[in-house]
Amino acid sequence: LAKTTQPISMDSYEGQEVNITCSHNNIATNDYITWYQQFPSQGPRFIIQGYKTKVTNEVASLFIPADRKSSTLSLPRVSLSDTAVYYCLVGDMQAGTALIFGKGTTLSVSS
Amino acid sequence: GAVVSQHPSRVICKSGTSVKIECRSLDFQATTMFWYRQFPKQSLMLMATSNEGSKATYEQGVEKDKFLINHASLTLSTLTVTSAHPEDSSFYICSARARRGENTGELFFGEGSRLTVL
C-alpha cells in the first residue's frame, strides 16, 4: 500500500484558501486518492476522492498532477469549523482493501 | 450517503471484563469491514479486517484472542475486547466498504466508540 507524507500541521485564518499537499511516490495504477477530515472523538469524514487531474465538489477541490505522485487538497475560504485533522489516503477500491492512515495534517484556523 | 453506525459511542468498564462494540452498515451491504484503533493525538491504526462469513484477518501485533471479531451478516460486525485492561482504553472506529457496484467502493467510517477501562 502506498505510503503518504503530509505536513504535520498548518495554520490559517478565516476566509483564506488552504492547500494541503500530500506525497505518495509509490502510488499504484489502481490506487485512488481519498481525503478525510476528522474532528476530535469522531470518525473520519469523507471529503473528496480522485484518480487524476482535478476533482471538485461542494466543499473542496483535489488537484492531482499527471504523474500522480502527489495531490493537493484545496479548501476555499476556511472557517473556524474547518479546524481538524486532514488525512490523505491512497489505495484501490477493492472490497477487501483497507486504507492505511498516515499521520495527517492538523489544520488550525484562527479568527 | 451511506452510513455506518457504531454502538455504544462510549463505554466504561472495570478491568477484566469484556466489552462488545457493534458496527452496522445502515443502508448498504458490506462484505468487508475494518476495525481501527486510535490513541490520543495519534492517527488511526488498522487492527483487523472483518469478512462476512469467514475469519477476520488481524494486523501484525494485534492479538486475535483478545480482540474477537465476528461478521455474521452483511450489515453487522462486532468487536469484543476480552478481559479488558487500562491499556486497551482507546477510540475504536469501524469502517465499511459497499459491495462492488454500489457507492463506488468508498470507505465509510462509523462515529467511533470510546472505551475507558478502569
Side-chain angles (χ1 to χ4, degrees):
Chain A
L1 295 170
K3 182 180 177 180
T4 60
T5 303
Q6 306 172 230
I8 294 297
S9 63
M10 293 183 70
D11 296 315
S12 182
Y13 291 97
E14 284 188 292
Q16 291 188 333
E17 177 184 78
V18 172
N19 296 306
I20 306 174
T21 297
C22 177
S23 296
H24 27 80
N25 291 316
N26 58 339
I27 188 170
T29 302
N30 294 330
D31 288 346
Y32 283 72
I33 301 157
T34 312
W35 286 79
Y36 286 86
Q37 175 192 56
Q38 187 183 30
F39 297 111
S41 295
Q42 293 185 26
R45 187 174 71 175
F46 174 88
I47 301 175
I48 198 166
Q49 182 181 79
Y51 184 80
K52 61 180 179 180
T53 63
K54 176 183 175 182
V55 179
T56 298
N57 62 21
E58 62 275 12
V59 298
S61 294
L62 178 60
F63 299 92
I64 305 169
D67 66 5
R68 304 201 323 126
K69 294 182 182 299
S70 67
S71 60
T72 299
L73 174 71
S74 181
L75 303 172
R77 296 181 298 281
V78 294
S79 64
L80 296 177
S81 62
D82 292 318
T83 294
V85 180
Y86 292 82
Y87 293 98
C88 160
L89 296 99
V90 174
D92 67 40
M93 292 291 106
Q94 298 300 310
T97 301
L99 291 181
I100 304 301
F101 283 75
K103 297 183 184 302
T105 298
T106 298
L107 172 64
S108 298
V109 181
S110 304
S111 57
Chain B
V3 178
V4 174
S5 179
Q6 285 183 238
H7 177 81
S9 58
R10 293 177 181 272
V11 57
I12 301 173
C13 70
K14 294 182 178 181
S15 184
T17 61
S18 295
V19 174
K20 180 185 286 187
I21 301 170
E22 294 185 346
C23 177
R24 294 181 184 274
S25 56
L26 297 184
D27 55 0
F28 66 98
Q29 293 180 324
T31 54
T32 305
M33 292 184 175
F34 306 98
W35 287 94
Y36 294 83
R37 179 169 55 183
Q38 185 175 34
F39 292 109
K41 305 291 185 182
Q42 295 186 23
S43 183
L44 284 76
M45 183 184 73
L46 180 66
M47 298 176 65
T49 299
S50 170
N51 300 298
E52 187 265 336
S54 64
K55 292 183 179 180
T57 303
Y58 291 82
E59 296 299 303
Q60 189 173 10
V62 178
E63 301 176 55
K64 62 179 181 180
D65 294 330
K66 181 167 187 63
F67 299 99
L68 301 180
I69 292 173
N70 183 278
H71 193 153
S73 76
L74 287 172
T75 59
L76 173 64
S77 176
T78 60
L79 169 68
T80 301
V81 183
T82 62
S83 186
H85 291 284
E87 57 266 30
D88 298 322
S89 298
S90 188
F91 192 52
Y92 292 87
I93 306 169
C94 72
S95 64
R97 246 188 232 288
R99 300 179 74 155
R100 288 186 188 182
E102 296 178 15
N103 298 315
T104 70
E106 179 183 328
L107 196 60
F108 301 98
F109 287 85
E111 315 96 322
S113 299
R114 174 77 59 192
L115 171 63
T116 302
V117 184
L118 302 177

